[in-house]
Amino acid sequence: YGDATSSTEVVLAGDSHAAQWFPALQKIATERKWKLTNLTKSSCPATTLETMRNGKFDSSCAIWQVKVLNLITAHKPALVILSNFTEYQYPLKSSTNSYAKTWVTGEMNFISETHSKILYIEDTTKPTSQVTDFSLARSETTLLTRKALTTLSDIHYLDLTSWLCARKCSNTFEGFNTYRDTTHISVATSLNLAKRLEAVIPL
């Protein structure tokens, strides 16, 4: 997407909570004349963790994770933008630690295997009400991921909680629905945050 002939390639990778940023990033890539490669897969996080689906090992996700890393390594993009659904716990094939600690280990392993400059977008808040404003709450996984990744100098970590929430989180943003379902921001919200996102992309 964007300018397919550009020498500046940006890769977006992750599950559907990465894909929710595609409208904003496509707009930015078009305006900045970047090549945007979209490597997202619903219910499949960009980590080295093996997940389960319907009680069975999700081999499709595992294969996808390897192919994403192979493609990133081959393309050597100027930037990899990662985001995943950390306000949720994926069923894991195996875990020897707490879920949050296991997640962070898998995330850091994935990042190290990209050998790329990383912008990690923290997961958006999960609404507790679809009707009224709701209190800000963050999962242990989100908080531990933030703590781990913000200590690494080669990762640009974007905590955008204040973009959508102050003391309360609202279900309306710039006159539109903030969310399109129970967890994903709407296309309108993504597009309305494009300028703010563009300003913090390290390119």
Side-chain angles (χ1 to χ4, degrees):
Y1 300 87
D3 182 355
T5 66
S6 176
S7 60
T8 301
E9 181 177 9
V10 174
V11 169
L12 172 65
D15 55 23
S16 60
H17 279 232
Q20 67 184 351
W21 292 108
F22 176 77
L25 290 170
Q26 183 183 27
K27 185 175 187 294
I28 295 167
T30 300
E31 293 175 353
R32 299 283 292 270
K33 299 189 183 304
W34 295 338
K35 176 183 177 181
L36 175 64
T37 301
N38 183 25
L39 304 177
T40 57
K41 181 174 172 62
S42 181
S43 300
C44 185
T47 79
T48 59
L49 299 177
E50 296 180 327
T51 60
M52 306 286 286
R53 188 190 293 259
N54 299 323
K56 298 180 181 179
F57 169 55
D58 192 346
S59 59
S60 173
C61 182
I63 292 169
W64 176 84
Q65 290 166 337
V66 172
K67 287 187 174 182
V68 167
L69 285 172
N70 288 343
L71 190 147
I72 290 172
T73 302
H75 282 219
K76 297 180 174 61
L79 181 69
V80 175
I81 299 176
L82 296 176
S83 194
N84 289 303
F85 191 10
T86 57
E87 290 295 304
Y88 167 78
Q89 290 192 3
Y90 279 97
L92 302 179
K93 184 179 178 183
S94 61
S95 176
T96 58
N97 217 325
S98 72
Y99 178 87
K101 290 180 179 179
T102 301
W103 173 273
V104 169
T105 299
E107 191 68 83
M108 293 182 76
N109 287 342
F110 186 92
I111 288 171
S112 68
E113 290 183 34
T114 66
H115 304 290
S116 298
K117 187 176 183 178
I118 301 291
L119 171 64
Y120 191 95
I121 302 178
E122 183 173 289
D123 193 16
T124 47
T125 53
K126 187 175 184 294
T128 55
S129 169
Q130 292 295 303
V131 181
T132 61
D133 291 352
F134 55 94
S135 298
L136 172 62
R138 303 308 263 154
S139 71
E140 181 187 5
T141 307
T142 297
L143 294 175
L144 197 59
T145 300
R146 182 194 299 171
K147 182 179 180 181
L149 298 188
T150 51
T151 63
L152 304 178
S153 59
D154 55 342
I155 295 177
H156 297 265
Y157 188 91
L158 177 57
D159 173 8
L160 46 69
T161 307
S162 62
W163 293 9
L164 297 174
C165 302
R167 293 183 177 178
K168 292 279 187 178
C169 304
S170 177
N171 282 310
T172 58
F173 184 76
E174 301 293 338
F176 296 92
N177 290 333
T178 308
Y179 299 89
R180 63 177 171 83
D181 59 15
T182 56
T183 70
H184 301 89
I185 60 171
S186 65
V187 171
T189 298
S190 184
L191 289 172
N192 276 316
L193 289 172
K195 285 295 183 186
R196 195 176 298 186
L197 180 59
E198 181 180 9
V200 297
I201 291 178
L203 270 185

PDB file of all heavy atoms in Angstrom, residues 20-21 24 124 164 171-174 176-180 184-194:
ATOM      1  N   GLN A  20      -6.168  -2.609  13.249  1.00  0.00           N
ATOM      2  CA  GLN A  20      -7.036  -1.446  13.474  1.00  0.00           C
ATOM      3  C   GLN A  20      -6.311  -0.128  13.182  1.00  0.00           C
ATOM      4  O   GLN A  20      -6.947   0.906  12.978  1.00  0.00           O
ATOM      5  CB  GLN A  20      -7.586  -1.452  14.897  1.00  0.00           C
ATOM      6  CG  GLN A  20      -6.552  -1.241  15.993  1.00  0.00           C
ATOM      7  CD  GLN A  20      -7.136  -1.348  17.394  1.00  0.00           C
ATOM      8  OE1 GLN A  20      -8.356  -1.420  17.590  1.00  0.00           O
ATOM      9  NE2 GLN A  20      -6.276  -1.362  18.393  1.00  0.00           N
ATOM     10  N   TRP A  21      -4.984  -0.178  13.109  1.00  0.00           N
ATOM     11  CA  TRP A  21      -4.196   1.017  12.781  1.00  0.00           C
ATOM     12  C   TRP A  21      -3.923   1.140  11.290  1.00  0.00           C
ATOM     13  O   TRP A  21      -3.330   2.142  10.846  1.00  0.00           O
ATOM     14  CB  TRP A  21      -2.865   1.005  13.553  1.00  0.00           C
ATOM     15  CG  TRP A  21      -3.100   1.196  15.019  1.00  0.00           C
ATOM     16  CD1 TRP A  21      -2.990   0.266  16.010  1.00  0.00           C
ATOM     17  CD2 TRP A  21      -3.547   2.391  15.661  1.00  0.00           C
ATOM     18  NE1 TRP A  21      -3.328   0.807  17.220  1.00  0.00           N
ATOM     19  CE2 TRP A  21      -3.686   2.114  17.034  1.00  0.00           C
ATOM     20  CE3 TRP A  21      -3.837   3.676  15.201  1.00  0.00           C
ATOM     21  CZ2 TRP A  21      -4.099   3.070  17.948  1.00  0.00           C
ATOM     22  CZ3 TRP A  21      -4.257   4.631  16.118  1.00  0.00           C
ATOM     23  CH2 TRP A  21      -4.379   4.317  17.480  1.00  0.00           C
ATOM     24  N   ALA A  24      -5.098   4.497   9.421  1.00  0.00           N
ATOM     25  CA  ALA A  24      -4.221   5.641   9.707  1.00  0.00           C
ATOM     26  C   ALA A  24      -2.890   5.500   8.990  1.00  0.00           C
ATOM     27  O   ALA A  24      -2.391   6.448   8.376  1.00  0.00           O
ATOM     28  CB  ALA A  24      -3.995   5.767  11.210  1.00  0.00           C
ATOM     29  N   THR A 124      -4.952  -0.638  22.656  1.00  0.00           N
ATOM     30  CA  THR A 124      -5.975   0.323  23.056  1.00  0.00           C
ATOM     31  C   THR A 124      -6.783  -0.240  24.219  1.00  0.00           C
ATOM     32  O   THR A 124      -6.819  -1.455  24.447  1.00  0.00           O
ATOM     33  CB  THR A 124      -6.909   0.639  21.871  1.00  0.00           C
ATOM     34  OG1 THR A 124      -7.302  -0.587  21.235  1.00  0.00           O
ATOM     35  CG2 THR A 124      -6.209   1.516  20.855  1.00  0.00           C
ATOM     36  N   LEU A 164      -6.972   8.598  24.017  1.00  0.00           N
ATOM     37  CA  LEU A 164      -8.376   8.195  24.035  1.00  0.00           C
ATOM     38  C   LEU A 164      -9.011   8.300  25.420  1.00  0.00           C
ATOM     39  O   LEU A 164     -10.226   8.274  25.534  1.00  0.00           O
ATOM     40  CB  LEU A 164      -8.520   6.749  23.532  1.00  0.00           C
ATOM     41  CG  LEU A 164      -8.099   6.505  22.077  1.00  0.00           C
ATOM     42  CD1 LEU A 164      -8.139   5.017  21.756  1.00  0.00           C
ATOM     43  CD2 LEU A 164      -9.003   7.271  21.123  1.00  0.00           C
ATOM     44  N   ASN A 171     -16.807   6.596  24.625  1.00  0.00           N
ATOM     45  CA  ASN A 171     -17.230   5.809  23.458  1.00  0.00           C
ATOM     46  C   ASN A 171     -17.469   6.681  22.238  1.00  0.00           C
ATOM     47  O   ASN A 171     -17.906   6.193  21.200  1.00  0.00           O
ATOM     48  CB  ASN A 171     -18.483   4.993  23.789  1.00  0.00           C
ATOM     49  CG  ASN A 171     -18.147   3.761  24.599  1.00  0.00           C
ATOM     50  OD1 ASN A 171     -17.259   2.996  24.242  1.00  0.00           O
ATOM     51  ND2 ASN A 171     -18.841   3.571  25.712  1.00  0.00           N
ATOM     52  N   THR A 172     -17.187   7.990  22.363  1.00  0.00           N
ATOM     53  CA  THR A 172     -17.231   8.869  21.188  1.00  0.00           C
ATOM     54  C   THR A 172     -15.901   9.597  21.084  1.00  0.00           C
ATOM     55  O   THR A 172     -15.308   9.975  22.093  1.00  0.00           O
ATOM     56  CB  THR A 172     -18.370   9.901  21.277  1.00  0.00           C
ATOM     57  OG1 THR A 172     -18.209  10.690  22.463  1.00  0.00           O
ATOM     58  CG2 THR A 172     -19.722   9.204  21.298  1.00  0.00           C
ATOM     59  N   PHE A 173     -15.436   9.788  19.848  1.00  0.00           N
ATOM     60  CA  PHE A 173     -14.169  10.473  19.622  1.00  0.00           C
ATOM     61  C   PHE A 173     -14.289  11.306  18.362  1.00  0.00           C
ATOM     62  O   PHE A 173     -14.590  10.780  17.285  1.00  0.00           O
ATOM     63  CB  PHE A 173     -13.033   9.452  19.468  1.00  0.00           C
ATOM     64  CG  PHE A 173     -11.675  10.091  19.322  1.00  0.00           C
ATOM     65  CD1 PHE A 173     -11.026  10.625  20.423  1.00  0.00           C
ATOM     66  CD2 PHE A 173     -11.064  10.172  18.079  1.00  0.00           C
ATOM     67  CE1 PHE A 173      -9.782  11.221  20.295  1.00  0.00           C
ATOM     68  CE2 PHE A 173      -9.820  10.766  17.944  1.00  0.00           C
ATOM     69  CZ  PHE A 173      -9.183  11.294  19.052  1.00  0.00           C
ATOM     70  N   GLU A 174     -14.084  12.609  18.503  1.00  0.00           N
ATOM     71  CA  GLU A 174     -14.188  13.535  17.378  1.00  0.00           C
ATOM     72  C   GLU A 174     -15.528  13.408  16.647  1.00  0.00           C
ATOM     73  O   GLU A 174     -15.612  13.502  15.430  1.00  0.00           O
ATOM     74  CB  GLU A 174     -13.024  13.315  16.393  1.00  0.00           C
ATOM     75  CG  GLU A 174     -11.640  13.506  16.983  1.00  0.00           C
ATOM     76  CD  GLU A 174     -11.359  14.946  17.374  1.00  0.00           C
ATOM     77  OE1 GLU A 174     -12.024  15.840  16.841  1.00  0.00           O
ATOM     78  OE2 GLU A 174     -10.465  15.165  18.224  1.00  0.00           O
ATOM     79  N   PHE A 176     -17.437  10.746  16.381  1.00  0.00           N
ATOM     80  CA  PHE A 176     -17.729   9.412  15.853  1.00  0.00           C
ATOM     81  C   PHE A 176     -17.650   8.379  16.974  1.00  0.00           C
ATOM     82  O   PHE A 176     -17.118   8.648  18.044  1.00  0.00           O
ATOM     83  CB  PHE A 176     -16.720   9.027  14.761  1.00  0.00           C
ATOM     84  CG  PHE A 176     -16.773   9.908  13.538  1.00  0.00           C
ATOM     85  CD1 PHE A 176     -15.957  11.029  13.435  1.00  0.00           C
ATOM     86  CD2 PHE A 176     -17.635   9.619  12.497  1.00  0.00           C
ATOM     87  CE1 PHE A 176     -16.001  11.841  12.314  1.00  0.00           C
ATOM     88  CE2 PHE A 176     -17.688  10.429  11.371  1.00  0.00           C
ATOM     89  CZ  PHE A 176     -16.871  11.539  11.277  1.00  0.00           C
ATOM     90  N   ASN A 177     -18.143   7.165  16.702  1.00  0.00           N
ATOM     91  CA  ASN A 177     -17.972   6.069  17.648  1.00  0.00           C
ATOM     92  C   ASN A 177     -16.484   5.777  17.807  1.00  0.00           C
ATOM     93  O   ASN A 177     -15.773   5.629  16.812  1.00  0.00           O
ATOM     94  CB  ASN A 177     -18.681   4.806  17.163  1.00  0.00           C
ATOM     95  CG  ASN A 177     -20.183   4.925  17.221  1.00  0.00           C
ATOM     96  OD1 ASN A 177     -20.726   5.664  18.025  1.00  0.00           O
ATOM     97  ND2 ASN A 177     -20.865   4.186  16.363  1.00  0.00           N
ATOM     98  N   THR A 178     -16.022   5.692  19.045  1.00  0.00           N
ATOM     99  CA  THR A 178     -14.613   5.363  19.285  1.00  0.00           C
ATOM    100  C   THR A 178     -14.310   3.949  18.823  1.00  0.00           C
ATOM    101  O   THR A 178     -13.265   3.684  18.237  1.00  0.00           O
ATOM    102  CB  THR A 178     -14.264   5.493  20.776  1.00  0.00           C
ATOM    103  OG1 THR A 178     -14.672   6.771  21.254  1.00  0.00           O
ATOM    104  CG2 THR A 178     -12.770   5.313  21.008  1.00  0.00           C
ATOM    105  N   TYR A 179     -15.246   3.039  19.096  1.00  0.00           N
ATOM    106  CA  TYR A 179     -15.027   1.619  18.815  1.00  0.00           C
ATOM    107  C   TYR A 179     -16.010   1.110  17.770  1.00  0.00           C
ATOM    108  O   TYR A 179     -17.123   1.611  17.649  1.00  0.00           O
ATOM    109  CB  TYR A 179     -15.179   0.795  20.100  1.00  0.00           C
ATOM    110  CG  TYR A 179     -14.177   1.178  21.164  1.00  0.00           C
ATOM    111  CD1 TYR A 179     -14.453   2.181  22.089  1.00  0.00           C
ATOM    112  CD2 TYR A 179     -12.930   0.543  21.247  1.00  0.00           C
ATOM    113  CE1 TYR A 179     -13.525   2.560  23.056  1.00  0.00           C
ATOM    114  CE2 TYR A 179     -12.001   0.905  22.205  1.00  0.00           C
ATOM    115  CZ  TYR A 179     -12.295   1.910  23.112  1.00  0.00           C
ATOM    116  OH  TYR A 179     -11.382   2.279  24.059  1.00  0.00           O
ATOM    117  N   ARG A 180     -15.573   0.086  17.023  1.00  0.00           N
ATOM    118  CA  ARG A 180     -16.468  -0.545  16.046  1.00  0.00           C
ATOM    119  C   ARG A 180     -17.069  -1.831  16.582  1.00  0.00           C
ATOM    120  O   ARG A 180     -17.975  -2.404  15.990  1.00  0.00           O
ATOM    121  CB  ARG A 180     -15.732  -0.824  14.732  1.00  0.00           C
ATOM    122  CG  ARG A 180     -14.571  -1.797  14.811  1.00  0.00           C
ATOM    123  CD  ARG A 180     -13.993  -2.038  13.423  1.00  0.00           C
ATOM    124  NE  ARG A 180     -12.747  -2.785  13.436  1.00  0.00           N
ATOM    125  CZ  ARG A 180     -12.662  -4.105  13.499  1.00  0.00           C
ATOM    126  NH1 ARG A 180     -13.765  -4.843  13.591  1.00  0.00           N
ATOM    127  NH2 ARG A 180     -11.482  -4.699  13.486  1.00  0.00           N
ATOM    128  N   HIS A 184     -12.152  -3.204  19.263  1.00  0.00           N
ATOM    129  CA  HIS A 184     -11.387  -2.514  18.226  1.00  0.00           C
ATOM    130  C   HIS A 184     -11.850  -1.069  18.036  1.00  0.00           C
ATOM    131  O   HIS A 184     -13.053  -0.806  18.000  1.00  0.00           O
ATOM    132  CB  HIS A 184     -11.531  -3.230  16.876  1.00  0.00           C
ATOM    133  CG  HIS A 184     -11.078  -4.648  16.894  1.00  0.00           C
ATOM    134  ND1 HIS A 184     -11.922  -5.692  17.216  1.00  0.00           N
ATOM    135  CD2 HIS A 184      -9.870  -5.201  16.619  1.00  0.00           C
ATOM    136  CE1 HIS A 184     -11.255  -6.834  17.143  1.00  0.00           C
ATOM    137  NE2 HIS A 184     -10.009  -6.568  16.784  1.00  0.00           N
ATOM    138  N   ILE A 185     -10.873  -0.161  17.866  1.00  0.00           N
ATOM    139  CA  ILE A 185     -11.261   1.208  17.529  1.00  0.00           C
ATOM    140  C   ILE A 185     -11.839   1.231  16.118  1.00  0.00           C
ATOM    141  O   ILE A 185     -11.540   0.371  15.288  1.00  0.00           O
ATOM    142  CB  ILE A 185     -10.077   2.194  17.636  1.00  0.00           C
ATOM    143  CG1 ILE A 185      -8.924   1.810  16.687  1.00  0.00           C
ATOM    144  CG2 ILE A 185      -9.604   2.321  19.077  1.00  0.00           C
ATOM    145  CD1 ILE A 185      -7.823   2.855  16.598  1.00  0.00           C
ATOM    146  N   SER A 186     -12.673   2.215  15.861  1.00  0.00           N
ATOM    147  CA  SER A 186     -13.324   2.332  14.557  1.00  0.00           C
ATOM    148  C   SER A 186     -12.363   2.894  13.520  1.00  0.00           C
ATOM    149  O   SER A 186     -11.314   3.460  13.848  1.00  0.00           O
ATOM    150  CB  SER A 186     -14.542   3.247  14.667  1.00  0.00           C
ATOM    151  OG  SER A 186     -14.139   4.576  14.984  1.00  0.00           O
ATOM    152  N   VAL A 187     -12.724   2.751  12.260  1.00  0.00           N
ATOM    153  CA  VAL A 187     -11.936   3.335  11.176  1.00  0.00           C
ATOM    154  C   VAL A 187     -11.858   4.850  11.355  1.00  0.00           C
ATOM    155  O   VAL A 187     -10.806   5.463  11.161  1.00  0.00           O
ATOM    156  CB  VAL A 187     -12.543   2.979   9.802  1.00  0.00           C
ATOM    157  CG1 VAL A 187     -11.867   3.770   8.686  1.00  0.00           C
ATOM    158  CG2 VAL A 187     -12.423   1.485   9.543  1.00  0.00           C
ATOM    159  N   ALA A 188     -12.974   5.465  11.759  1.00  0.00           N
ATOM    160  CA  ALA A 188     -12.999   6.918  11.969  1.00  0.00           C
ATOM    161  C   ALA A 188     -11.996   7.340  13.040  1.00  0.00           C
ATOM    162  O   ALA A 188     -11.279   8.338  12.891  1.00  0.00           O
ATOM    163  CB  ALA A 188     -14.405   7.367  12.349  1.00  0.00           C
ATOM    164  N   THR A 189     -11.919   6.577  14.132  1.00  0.00           N
ATOM    165  CA  THR A 189     -10.966   6.895  15.200  1.00  0.00           C
ATOM    166  C   THR A 189      -9.538   6.752  14.704  1.00  0.00           C
ATOM    167  O   THR A 189      -8.682   7.608  14.954  1.00  0.00           O
ATOM    168  CB  THR A 189     -11.195   5.987  16.417  1.00  0.00           C
ATOM    169  OG1 THR A 189     -12.513   6.211  16.930  1.00  0.00           O
ATOM    170  CG2 THR A 189     -10.191   6.271  17.523  1.00  0.00           C
ATOM    171  N   SER A 190      -9.266   5.659  14.000  1.00  0.00           N
ATOM    172  CA  SER A 190      -7.935   5.436  13.442  1.00  0.00           C
ATOM    173  C   SER A 190      -7.523   6.600  12.543  1.00  0.00           C
ATOM    174  O   SER A 190      -6.424   7.156  12.673  1.00  0.00           O
ATOM    175  CB  SER A 190      -7.912   4.118  12.661  1.00  0.00           C
ATOM    176  OG  SER A 190      -6.622   3.819  12.186  1.00  0.00           O
ATOM    177  N   LEU A 191      -8.416   7.003  11.653  1.00  0.00           N
ATOM    178  CA  LEU A 191      -8.106   8.097  10.727  1.00  0.00           C
ATOM    179  C   LEU A 191      -7.942   9.425  11.464  1.00  0.00           C
ATOM    180  O   LEU A 191      -7.079  10.239  11.104  1.00  0.00           O
ATOM    181  CB  LEU A 191      -9.201   8.206   9.669  1.00  0.00           C
ATOM    182  CG  LEU A 191      -9.235   7.087   8.632  1.00  0.00           C
ATOM    183  CD1 LEU A 191     -10.475   7.207   7.749  1.00  0.00           C
ATOM    184  CD2 LEU A 191      -7.973   7.099   7.767  1.00  0.00           C
ATOM    185  N   ASN A 192      -8.758   9.648  12.483  1.00  0.00           N
ATOM    186  CA  ASN A 192      -8.667  10.894  13.244  1.00  0.00           C
ATOM    187  C   ASN A 192      -7.383  10.988  14.072  1.00  0.00           C
ATOM    188  O   ASN A 192      -6.998  12.079  14.496  1.00  0.00           O
ATOM    189  CB  ASN A 192      -9.893  11.063  14.148  1.00  0.00           C
ATOM    190  CG  ASN A 192     -11.071  11.666  13.416  1.00  0.00           C
ATOM    191  OD1 ASN A 192     -10.916  12.628  12.666  1.00  0.00           O
ATOM    192  ND2 ASN A 192     -12.255  11.111  13.598  1.00  0.00           N
ATOM    193  N   LEU A 193      -6.745   9.843  14.301  1.00  0.00           N
ATOM    194  CA  LEU A 193      -5.493   9.833  15.052  1.00  0.00           C
ATOM    195  C   LEU A 193      -4.267   9.780  14.139  1.00  0.00           C
ATOM    196  O   LEU A 193      -3.133   9.732  14.604  1.00  0.00           O
ATOM    197  CB  LEU A 193      -5.462   8.640  16.015  1.00  0.00           C
ATOM    198  CG  LEU A 193      -6.408   8.729  17.218  1.00  0.00           C
ATOM    199  CD1 LEU A 193      -6.434   7.413  17.974  1.00  0.00           C
ATOM    200  CD2 LEU A 193      -5.998   9.869  18.146  1.00  0.00           C
ATOM    201  N   ALA A 194      -4.491   9.806  12.832  1.00  0.00           N
ATOM    202  CA  ALA A 194      -3.394   9.655  11.870  1.00  0.00           C
ATOM    203  C   ALA A 194      -2.326  10.731  12.037  1.00  0.00           C
ATOM    204  O   ALA A 194      -1.125  10.433  12.050  1.00  0.00           O
ATOM    205  CB  ALA A 194      -3.932   9.651  10.442  1.00  0.00           C
TER     206      ALA A 194
END
